[in-house]
Amino acid sequence: MLFPTVTFAVFFAVVLTAGWSLHRNQAAWKLVMLAASFVFYGFWDWRFIGLLLLSTVVNQLGAETIHRARSERTRSTALVVTIGFDLGLLGFFKYYDFFAGSMRDTVGRLGLPTPPLLDVVLPVAISFFTFQAISYVVDVRRGRLAPAPLVDLALFLSFFPHLVAGPIVRASDFLPQLRTRLDPRRIDLTGAAILIATGLFKKVVVSSYLAGSIVDPVFAAPGRHSSAEILVATYGYAVQLYADFSGYSDIAIGIALLLGIRFPANFDRPYTAASLAEFWRRWHMTLSNWLRDYVYTPLGGNRAGPERRDRNLLLTMLLGGLWHGAAWTFVLWGAFHGIALVVERRVAEHRSIVRAVARRRELAVVGAGGGTGGRRPDDDDCDPDDELAGARLDTRRHGLSERSRRWVGRAVTFHVVCLGWLLFRADSVGTALHLLWRLLVGWGPAPLVTPLVLLTIAAALAVQFIPRAATRAALAEISRLPAWAHAVAFGAFLVLVDVLGPSGIAPFIYFQF
Amino acid sequence: MAAPLHTRPRPRPVRPARTVEGYRKRRPFRSDEVVGATLLALLVAMLLGSQSLVDLASRQPYGTGRTVLVTLARGVHRVASAASLDRPARAIGHWTGRTPTAPVDVDAVLRGLSSPASPVTTIPLDVNPATGLRWVDATRPLRIHLVGDSLMGDLAGPIETIAPVDRTRITLDHRVSSGLSRPDYFDWPSHLARLLQDADTAPEAVVAVFGPNDFQDVEAGGSVLAAGSPAWDDLYRKRVGVVMDLLQRPGTTLTWLTLPAMRDPELSAAMAHLSALYRSEAATRPWVSVVELGSVLDQDGGGYARDLTGPDGTTPPLRQDDGVHLTRAGADRAAAPVWADLARRWGLDG
């Protein structure tokens, strides 16, 4: 059941009505939501409801064992076994055929035995509910959570707004909300309506348009397209992927809000980032934070020196790439970002050291020259003819102000990210290399680069720079409107999205993960 | 005493985004207002978009469910039309080209094709004697049109990749979820007839794949025909024949693709049934050639294959997780015989 369909609209209307009718009876509310979530999941594939239930039961057993264990050893063993089960499930369904096929194509050709290919069907949502389950047992082990009732855990793992494509909600964010009664007087209708409306527009109109008009044709046959088309298609894919994924996340968060549940944000204007590290604090934040807290930090994080830190960073990004799909292009994409982050960090550290050394020298010279009485050389009352003026350290570097440096950083970061997206989107390493080659040598006309394509990409990027204060103020004003005005506007907007969008609805890109 | 080190300005910290910015400043609503607003929003959307609702209901598989949905949708549409509430959506649909154009009289087009007095479609005078078709070169590339459902979406990229860039102009003209069974969803004969009206831009080589969305009950003459029944077969054959006959014109070729096995045994049997119909209709039409996708995508015995070992010794997955669509490797494999057929017929082997 896809979000932007009449079927889901009817389903949600029923669930919303039933939910708020039962909000005083928490147990009944949970059961209704749980049943609705299983109906939602069953629409995708009823066969895997059992898998979801199995994951719930095993993780609950693990959490209970960890919580009741008297010894550290038992707690650790229970944690390892439970996580092993979760990763085993994910590994089998998602990666078995990939690794078996890769082995067959490498060592198998040398005549060595390889595991058979099983044509395993990938259950929808397995990447998401597995990571959420792991966050639950680890947080219990760390003492941040007590084991929740089984119904609560089942609802946490299967809750339909975030089930099939995130955001990856932490148990510590979700479960406490189930312990308190929903407040029927304080629902953020405006925030939810805006999120759902913008999410639908991004997914149904923007993402679909860019996919059909330039991204899919160019990536399918790079040899037929010029450098300009490949460049714009790459920018277009950056926008398409953001619109598709953030659109889904927005809808999920908005729907949860209407049901009285708060989800964390998943995107924070990622293309405004001035560095790769900042990009990863703004893009798919729930996954980044999960990887930081459950992979990077347990590996040692940055606590054991720069070499270990870089290794941990690279491993974390490799796993992040692999999480996205069973293909070498995703692994390479993860490696690309890992290496780029390591390089960025090393360069920043080197620059800090160079600046610190230069500063120390400058202060030593200034001090020997009669002293400045402790005055800092970049103070405004310095003699402009001072021969050390050129060595003054202020907010300008290489002649650029902080603001300009930030814009340069944004442009560089955006292009580095786009280079990564090229790997991410290409169906093979060979196609990615072909695209890069054509980007350099494929001069020629670019009929697919139309004004509307350029305008769509430019507008989608520009919107990310709207100041937060302006958005907050606008939403505050809109919230003054009565509920019926929200309804009429939203209903009309739904029709506009339907008319502007393509016929039929393509699934969300992140469903395949 | 040395002055403290002066570090460069710290970058502005990125505050973690709240779920929705500034929610504390917004007026909260009560649950009854929220439920009421949601239901009202859906009602408004149904009234303003009532035509879409009717279209959507009409496209459902035939049965009691569809009948109920269509009745409800038409009721809503009557109310909306009476109050002109559907006008804005129709106007925007016209502006964006979403509103379907008037169907072409396909029967008239077919009669025109079969009539000896009908004007001959313009063809170049320089005809390749080996093929009976015009010469193709870089100054006059071959206009290839790829039509069909989402399977053609999988095949298009590899066909574009394998075909010579300088001698071919390829247009992908597919419709996801479409087929020949349900012209109420998308009217392929009308669409093709419209394309063929302009001789200068009309496709010369058409490659078509249909089937995965076609094996469903259809309505004809007021009754519903069960998929695979003799009456259904007759009707479907006629629809296939219409598409094939539309492309019976000098200087035009049609390559029809039969379907590979599917992972689901029922679907696989249905596709085999349709493929047999395609073959029998093509057999009486010399301008139609058939390419058997199963010959490169199925196991030796004709069964479904998720992956097969290729000539390079690797065994990539050929089918996507749904057991229907093709991966890039599968589409690359399928594109080879398709291009071979086009190249042979148009003398592009060299």
Side-chain angles (χ1 to χ4, degrees):
Chain A
M1 210 191 301
L2 292 167
F3 278 168
T5 58
V6 174
T7 311
F8 179 78
V10 173
F11 164 83
F12 180 67
V14 170
V15 172
L16 182 73
T17 307
W20 284 112
S21 305
L22 293 168
H23 74 272
R24 286 189 189 84
N25 184 337
Q26 229 178 343
W29 183 89
K30 289 178 192 175
L31 288 173
V32 164
M33 288 299 142
L34 192 59
S37 298
F38 281 123
V39 166
F40 179 83
Y41 192 60
F43 256 84
W44 289 95
D45 196 330
W46 60 267
R47 296 173 297 170
F48 293 114
I49 291 177
L51 188 73
L52 191 49
L53 284 169
L54 176 66
S55 181
T56 305
V57 168
V58 169
N59 280 278
Q60 182 66 345
L61 282 173
E64 294 279 0
T65 306
I66 291 167
H67 188 67
R68 290 180 188 158
R70 293 179 188 276
S71 71
E72 275 296 314
R73 189 185 165 131
T74 310
R75 275 193 280 273
S76 297
T77 305
L79 180 69
V80 167
V81 168
T82 310
I83 292 179
F85 168 82
D86 290 330
L87 293 178
L89 213 61
L90 181 64
F92 174 73
F93 281 101
K94 193 164 176 178
Y95 301 108
Y96 175 84
D97 279 330
F98 167 60
F99 284 116
S102 298
M103 285 181 70
R104 186 199 276 203
D105 290 341
T106 49
V107 300
R109 292 165 80 177
L110 302 173
L112 296 169
T114 56
L117 292 168
L118 300 177
D119 194 13
V120 181
V121 178
L122 178 67
V124 172
I126 191 168
S127 302
F128 293 93
F129 70 69
T130 300
F131 270 30
Q132 285 169 169
I134 291 174
S135 86
Y136 172 65
V137 289
V138 171
D139 282 355
V140 168
R141 173 69 179 90
R142 287 175 177 171
R144 288 190 192 142
L145 275 180
L150 184 63
V151 169
D152 287 22
L153 178 62
L155 186 55
F156 164 56
L157 293 182
S158 66
F159 194 43
F160 71 89
H162 70 70
L163 174 61
V164 292
I168 299 173
V169 184
R170 305 284 185 92
S172 51
D173 287 335
F174 188 91
L175 292 172
Q177 296 186 66
L178 297 184
R179 289 199 286 271
T180 56
R181 281 248 303 258
L182 296 174
D183 187 348
R185 300 160 302 170
R186 303 197 63 78
I187 303 168
D188 186 5
L189 176 64
T190 306
I194 295 295
L195 278 171
I196 297 170
T198 54
L200 283 171
F201 187 81
K202 282 192 285 189
K203 163 57 194 166
V204 176
V205 180
V206 175
S207 174
S208 302
Y209 170 68
L210 287 173
S213 57
I214 189 164
V215 176
D216 289 351
V218 168
F219 278 81
R224 286 191 174 257
H225 299 282
S226 63
S227 304
E229 286 176 322
I230 291 172
L231 181 67
V232 175
T234 306
Y235 292 156
Y237 183 65
V239 172
Q240 178 202 340
L241 185 62
Y242 168 72
D244 189 281
F245 193 18
S246 71
Y248 184 94
S249 292
D250 287 350
I251 298 171
I253 295 168
I255 285 171
L257 269 180
L258 291 178
L259 293 169
I261 299 291
R262 290 198 177 277
F263 283 169
N266 214 9
F267 292 86
D268 182 17
R269 307 174 309 157
Y271 294 135
T272 66
S275 69
L276 213 49
E278 187 184 345
F279 174 79
W280 281 105
R281 291 194 295 272
R282 292 175 178 273
W283 177 275
H284 202 176
M285 296 186 291
T286 57
L287 176 66
S288 307
N289 292 340
W290 193 99
L291 289 171
R292 179 197 62 205
D293 293 343
Y294 300 106
V295 178
Y296 180 70
T297 301
L299 282 174
N302 59 5
R303 294 191 299 271
E307 281 77 25
R308 289 285 287 271
R309 176 203 64 202
D310 293 346
R311 181 207 70 171
N312 296 338
L313 194 52
L314 194 54
L315 274 174
T316 303
M317 295 310 293
L318 272 172
L319 283 172
L322 191 60
W323 176 88
H324 281 82
W328 291 113
T329 46
F330 293 127
V331 177
L332 281 173
W333 170 79
F336 170 80
H337 271 275
I339 292 168
L341 279 166
V342 165
V343 166
E344 182 181 84
R345 201 170 283 208
R346 291 279 184 159
V347 166
E349 281 170 354
H350 177 72
R351 277 189 182 151
S352 290
I353 292 169
V354 164
R355 272 199 299 278
V357 166
R359 191 64 174 175
R360 198 181 286 130
R361 278 191 200 141
E362 183 188 298
L363 288 173
V365 168
V366 167
T372 59
R375 191 182 63 193
R376 298 204 299 214
D378 56 351
D379 285 352
D380 288 343
D381 57 351
C382 271
D383 183 347
D385 295 328
D386 186 335
E387 64 183 1
L388 294 175
R392 272 205 301 262
L393 284 178
D394 57 10
T395 57
R396 301 184 71 84
R397 194 168 78 225
H398 303 306
L400 294 176
S401 64
E402 167 74 21
R403 193 181 162 90
S404 300
R405 267 194 291 118
R406 197 157 167 78
W407 277 106
V408 169
R410 282 178 176 140
V412 171
T413 302
F414 180 69
H415 284 85
V416 169
V417 167
C418 282
L419 189 57
W421 288 144
L422 203 142
L423 267 175
F424 191 86
R425 175 61 177 79
D427 51 54
S428 68
V429 177
T431 304
L433 291 173
H434 191 189
L435 281 159
L436 284 169
W437 177 245
R438 290 286 304 166
L439 188 61
L440 296 172
V441 306
W443 302 106
L448 294 185
V449 181
T450 61
L452 187 56
V453 163
L454 291 173
L455 182 63
T456 304
I457 293 171
L461 293 173
V463 156
Q464 298 203 12
F465 290 89
I466 296 175
R468 276 207 186 107
T471 313
R472 279 198 293 264
L475 290 181
E477 282 305 306
I478 293 171
S479 73
R480 294 180 203 279
L481 296 171
W484 66 262
H486 281 70
V488 170
F490 186 77
F493 192 80
L494 280 181
V495 175
L496 179 68
V497 165
D498 177 56
V499 176
L500 293 178
S503 302
I505 299 291
F508 292 92
I509 295 173
Y510 264 69
F511 281 0
Q512 65 186 298
F513 307 140
Chain B
M1 194 162 145
L5 287 175
H6 179 63
T7 57
R8 72 177 174 93
R10 284 179 164 277
R12 281 177 292 164
V14 178
R15 283 177 296 132
R18 296 187 182 283
T19 300
V20 184
E21 284 294 331
Y23 64 93
R24 289 201 180 92
K25 291 189 175 147
R26 292 192 287 276
R27 176 170 82 89
F29 288 80
R30 298 187 317 271
S31 60
D32 58 318
E33 292 178 302
V34 169
V35 173
T38 303
L39 296 174
L40 178 59
L42 291 178
L43 179 64
V44 167
M46 283 200 303
L47 289 170
L48 294 179
S50 57
Q51 183 59 59
S52 277
L53 208 60
V54 171
D55 294 342
L56 186 63
S58 304
R59 289 169 194 165
Q60 300 309 306
Y62 283 94
T64 312
R66 178 183 182 276
T67 308
V68 168
L69 287 172
V70 168
T71 307
L72 285 172
R74 284 186 180 151
V76 170
H77 185 54
R78 264 195 293 274
V79 169
S81 298
S84 296
L85 292 172
D86 59 333
R87 268 203 193 166
R90 275 194 284 131
I92 298 172
H94 269 300
W95 180 67
T96 59
R98 270 284 297 278
T99 307
T101 47
V104 173
D105 186 348
V106 175
D107 289 334
V109 172
L110 287 171
R111 279 194 300 274
L113 284 172
S114 61
S115 160
S118 65
V120 175
T121 308
T122 55
I123 54 169
L125 293 174
D126 50 337
V127 172
N128 182 341
T131 64
L133 298 163
R134 72 170 180 86
W135 290 102
V136 173
D137 54 37
T139 59
R140 290 174 308 153
L142 176 64
R143 296 193 297 274
I144 300 174
H145 215 78
L146 308 177
V147 303
D149 56 26
S150 51
L151 271 184
M152 187 52 82
D154 295 341
L155 287 165
I159 293 174
E160 287 185 296
T161 301
I162 203 173
V165 174
D166 58 339
R167 286 177 290 162
T168 55
R169 289 290 174 269
I170 301 180
T171 304
L172 172 61
D173 188 11
H174 77 308
R175 298 292 185 280
V176 172
S177 304
S178 72
L180 300 179
S181 284
R182 299 289 300 269
D184 56 321
Y185 181 77
F186 186 77
D187 187 351
W188 273 109
S190 197
H191 177 72
L192 288 170
R194 194 173 297 111
L195 278 179
L196 295 166
Q197 282 172 343
D198 184 343
D200 291 332
T201 59
E204 297 171 297
V206 176
V207 182
V209 67
F210 296 103
N213 304 302
D214 278 341
F215 203 79
Q216 55 176 297
D217 298 349
V218 300
E219 190 183 49
S223 55
V224 175
L225 308 179
S229 64
W232 188 96
D233 281 359
D234 282 341
L235 180 63
Y236 192 72
R237 277 177 186 279
K238 281 195 186 106
R239 290 180 175 167
V240 170
V242 163
V243 172
M244 290 182 174
D245 290 341
L246 273 171
L247 292 155
Q248 180 207 353
R249 45 182 62 211
T252 307
T253 62
L254 173 60
T255 304
W256 199 283
L257 311 185
T258 62
L259 299 158
M262 305 288 170
R263 184 169 60 211
D264 179 80
E266 265 189 51
L267 182 61
S268 204
M271 296 305 102
H273 182 87
L274 294 183
S275 293
L277 296 180
Y278 301 146
R279 283 185 209 103
S280 73
E281 289 302 305
T284 58
R285 294 170 169 90
W287 64 93
V288 181
S289 64
V290 172
V291 170
E292 306 276 354
L293 290 186
S295 66
V296 290
L297 293 174
D298 293 347
Q299 293 176 16
D300 284 339
Y304 172 79
R306 181 183 172 269
D307 40 55
L308 292 171
T309 303
D312 61 354
T314 61
T315 316
L318 304 178
R319 311 295 287 273
Q320 294 185 29
D321 283 339
D322 61 9
V324 173
H325 293 91
L326 309 179
T327 62
R328 179 64 190 228
D332 282 337
R333 210 172 155 113
V338 174
W339 175 249
D341 181 74
L342 287 171
R344 176 185 59 79
R345 297 177 80 183
W346 286 88
L348 295 169
D349 307 78

